[in-house]
Amino acid sequence: MYNSKIIGLGYYVPDHVVSNDDLSKLMDTNDAWIQERTGIKERRWVKPGSEDTTSVMGVKAAKIAIERAGIDKDEIDFIVFATLSPDYYFPGPGVQVQEALGIKTVGALDVRNQCSGFIYGLSVADQFIKTGMYKNVLVIGSELHSKGLDKTTRGRSVSVIFGDGAGAAVLSRTEDNSKGVLSTHLHSEGEHAKELALTAPGMGTRWVDDILRENDPKDESYFPHMNGQFVFKNAVVRFSEVIMEGLMKNNLDKKDIDILIPHQANLRIAQFIQKKFGLNDDQVFNNIMKYGNTTAASIPIALTEAWEQGKIKEGDTVVLAAFGSGFTWGSAIIKW
Ligand code: UT7
């Protein structure tokens, strides 16, 4: 049995910075409220007219990850793309990456597990590598939220949180079983699907002709909805559970964590988990202050930044954890 190891990381965020003060010009909100409740100072939103889309940003992040991996694009055996904001209803962006990177006709899988999407994607890649089916797998998380947010006061409890960006990782086969992805843990609870969702009818529930005919401009179902407090309460419980599950599976203790990289949902959630696990400030990496919540992109962006800043060293126990819409949640325990 092989093991899988991250050998290349990259991220891309649009250069257009949107501050909390900028948002207060669009809706009834303010810097103090946003910072106090979420920790966010600014986020990146693509500029109108920009070439950036979810797939384009994903490709930009992937190119960096592949270059850093030191492999040729044609050595990629499989692509996994996690997003809730694809360019098209179908096909998903995995195939767009295959085309844009000019990779030979390898498989491309689209994962739609929202904030947990990257961990789900990582887990899929890990399994394919562990079983010997593939050697190098490209995993991308990318989101373009800004085009789909309600930027009026009506949508303020959601729209101030989300940002655009992409992150990518190349996982590769290793025969050293003491290194790499030790285990991944995935969960879901569909009972709470509507607590954080965009419930606009899809072709699976309504006739497109009817949707177009009705075309009600006041229809809020085309914007994301979140029962914030309920999601928050579930997040802190599930984050803790799934991190513990990963540690226990590997006979590790919370003292063994060198660095925790949580999905960047809310700085308050990360601080709660930090306290619960008795970690110091250097052991939890956060960048939500700069980018907001970028859903499937948040973990690979944070992982890349932490690595670039030298915060992840050879032999470190790295814990990734996410919770979000679905509800879905997951963790990955990695020996770097
Ligand atoms: O990534 C996926 C997982 N997501 C999460 O884990 C997010 C979990 N939830 C949260 O992070 C928080 O619930 C939020 C940041 C979304 C909201 O914070 P909150 O402390 O739960 O606020 P709230 O929704 O209870 O709203 C408190 C007040 C309300 O006013 P009243 O009713 O007390 O007068 C809101 O209308 O704050 C008001 N409010 C705002 N005020 C200024 C809501 N959004 C805003 C805003 N600016 N942007």
Side-chain angles (χ1 to χ4, degrees), residues 6 38-39 41 95 97 158 181 190 204 243 255 259 290 309 316 322:
I6 294 176
T38 70
K41 295 184 178 170
V95 297
V97 172
V158 172
V181 179
I243 293 169
K255 291 192 197 66
I259 188 159
K290 296 190 293 181
Q309 292 170 20
D316 276 356

Side-chain angles (χ1 to χ4, degrees), residues 67-86:
E67 197 193 326
R68 286 176 172 169
I71 60 168
D72 187 80
K73 64 178 172 52
D74 284 320
E75 292 177 76
I76 301 281
D77 301 312
F78 194 65
I79 299 162
V80 185
F81 200 122
T83 189
L84 64 68
S85 49

Side-chain angles (χ1 to χ4, degrees), residues 229-298:
Q229 294 196 1
F230 186 76
V231 175
F232 193 107
K233 283 181 197 146
N234 278 267
V236 291
V237 172
R238 298 306 193 186
F239 262 107
S240 305
E241 276 177 14
V242 81
I243 293 169
M244 274 317 293
E245 183 183 355
L247 292 176
M248 283 166 71
K249 167 82 185 168
N250 295 287
N251 295 319
L252 296 170
D253 186 75
K254 40 192 181 189
K255 291 192 197 66
D256 297 314
I257 300 174
D258 290 302
I259 188 159
L260 167 67
I261 301 184
H263 160 54
Q264 300 292 292
N266 183 323
L267 192 60
R268 308 294 158 239
I269 296 176
Q271 287 167 337
F272 181 94
I273 304 299
Q274 174 176 341
K275 204 166 162 205
K276 179 145 194 202
F277 282 81
L279 303 171
N280 62 41
D281 288 350
D282 289 339
Q283 290 173 293
V284 183
F285 189 82
N286 290 302
N287 60 9
I288 191 170
M289 306 72 92
K290 296 190 293 181
Y291 303 132
N293 179 344
T294 57
T295 309
S298 96

Side-chain angles (χ1 to χ4, degrees), residues 23 27-34 36-40 114-116 153 155-162 196 226-236 239 263-269 293-295 298 323-325 327:
L23 294 184
M27 61 188 87
D28 180 12
T29 191
N30 57 78
D31 180 54
W33 189 97
I34 300 172
E36 188 191 316
R37 309 277 176 142
T38 70
I40 300 167
Q114 299 68 247
C115 304
S116 316
T153 299
R156 65 182 180 175
S157 64
V158 172
S159 54
V160 301
I161 296 170
F162 291 97
L196 174 46
M226 173 161 67
N227 181 351
Q229 294 196 1
F230 186 76
V231 175
F232 193 107
K233 283 181 197 146
N234 278 267
V236 291
F239 262 107
H263 160 54
Q264 300 292 292
N266 183 323
L267 192 60
R268 308 294 158 239
I269 296 176
N293 179 344
T294 57
T295 309
S298 96
F323 173 88
S325 163
F327 292 150

